[in-house]
Amino acid sequence: MEEQIIGIMGAIPQEVDGIIAILEEKTAITIGNRTYYQGRLGKQNVVVVYSRIGKVAASATASALLLRFNVSEIIFIGVAGGIAPHIEVGDVVVARDLIQYDMDVSPLRPKYEIPLLQKTYFETNTTRSTQVIQQIERFLSPEVLCAKISADELDKFAIKQPKVYFGTIASGDQFFSTDQQKENLQQALPQVLCVEMEGAAVAQICYEYNIPCSVIRTISDKANQEASFSFESFVQQISQVYGQEIMEQLFQ
């Protein structure tokens, strides 16, 4: 029986560089201006790649993982802006389902529904998501987190008791950096926990190819006026560690 390969994606280098750094038996191949790193993560064969930002870039990359590397599952890991009031910087949201908040062909079809698929929410793989949540809870425990990230860096982002949540993530081709954007989305889709630019597109591709999908998002900012400052420094100092630790523990 052929060994299964898992695709691991992030939108930008900082989201997957930590994972690439710990790959064993690593080789690289460039296709369509993207470098795909093949190797082993613990006992698991993986292909790790950063897709570039946005739904089109992520969809193209997910398709290549499926068609060129024959992955049996895709995990997307990266950062997101917190939308729900209780979501704080440093928390992690694991997607239960995902929606494209900028999809609107009404009145032809209901707002947010994907044309021809007659589907609005794309569900993730419950089994994998449960495993991921368990590993994140372990990583976010004070004794582990403080051993991996310095107290000064945690204080810089006011990360005190980060939590993991399982719920709805919204994706669209827009970086949220104003309270107005945030409020508009909260009013339209009050169940959304966080917002990003790729996950729902990857989930749609996985749905159409009938393979499992998981999306893991570390909250880098509150999707408001401070987002651009928070995002840049957070991805450099915090999210890379989160991603590396979560994936390493998942496949150890």
Side-chain angles (χ1 to χ4, degrees), residues 200-216:
V202 173
Q204 179 181 334
I205 296 295
C206 290
Y207 171 80
E208 296 197 45
Y209 281 88
N210 194 32
I211 74 155
C213 174
S214 306
V215 177
I216 307 160

Side-chain angles (χ1 to χ4, degrees), residues 110-152:
K111 191 174 183 180
Y112 311 121
E113 183 181 286
I114 304 301
L116 304 182
L117 288 183
Q118 298 182 345
K119 191 169 179 63
T120 301
Y121 291 90
F122 292 89
E123 297 79 16
T124 59
N125 181 264
T126 304
T127 301
R128 176 66 75 198
S129 294
T130 300
Q131 294 173 340
V132 167
I133 288 168
Q134 290 173 347
Q135 295 303 329
I136 295 170
E137 286 175 340
R138 177 192 170 278
F139 170 66
L140 293 181
S141 63
E143 61 273 16
V144 176
L145 186 65
C146 293
K148 300 295 182 180
I149 301 175
S150 73
D152 286 346

Side-chain angles (χ1 to χ4, degrees), residues 14-105:
Q14 296 93 326
E15 292 175 336
V16 292
D17 277 352
I19 302 167
I20 293 168
I22 58 173
L23 287 182
E24 298 177 356
E25 304 171 30
K26 180 168 53 184
T27 59
I29 180 171
T30 300
I31 306 167
N33 290 320
R34 291 159 178 76
T35 301
Y36 296 78
Y37 295 89
Q38 299 169 275
R40 295 188 70 84
L41 197 54
K43 300 174 182 178
Q44 179 63 54
N45 281 334
V46 298
V47 182
V48 187
V49 58
Y50 79 89
S51 63
R52 305 175 188 272
I53 294 169
K55 293 193 298 178
V56 171
S59 300
T61 308
S63 297
L65 284 171
L66 289 161
L67 299 173
R68 182 66 180 265
F69 297 96
N70 294 317
V71 301
S72 58
E73 175 184 352
I74 292 179
I75 300 174
F76 197 107
I77 191 162
V79 295
I83 293 295
H86 63 282
I87 301 294
E88 300 290 343
V89 172
D91 288 346
V92 181
V93 177
V94 177
R96 180 185 61 225
D97 50 34
L98 301 102
I99 183 172
Q100 295 182 40
Y101 68 80
D102 57 354
M103 176 60 71
D104 186 359
V105 296

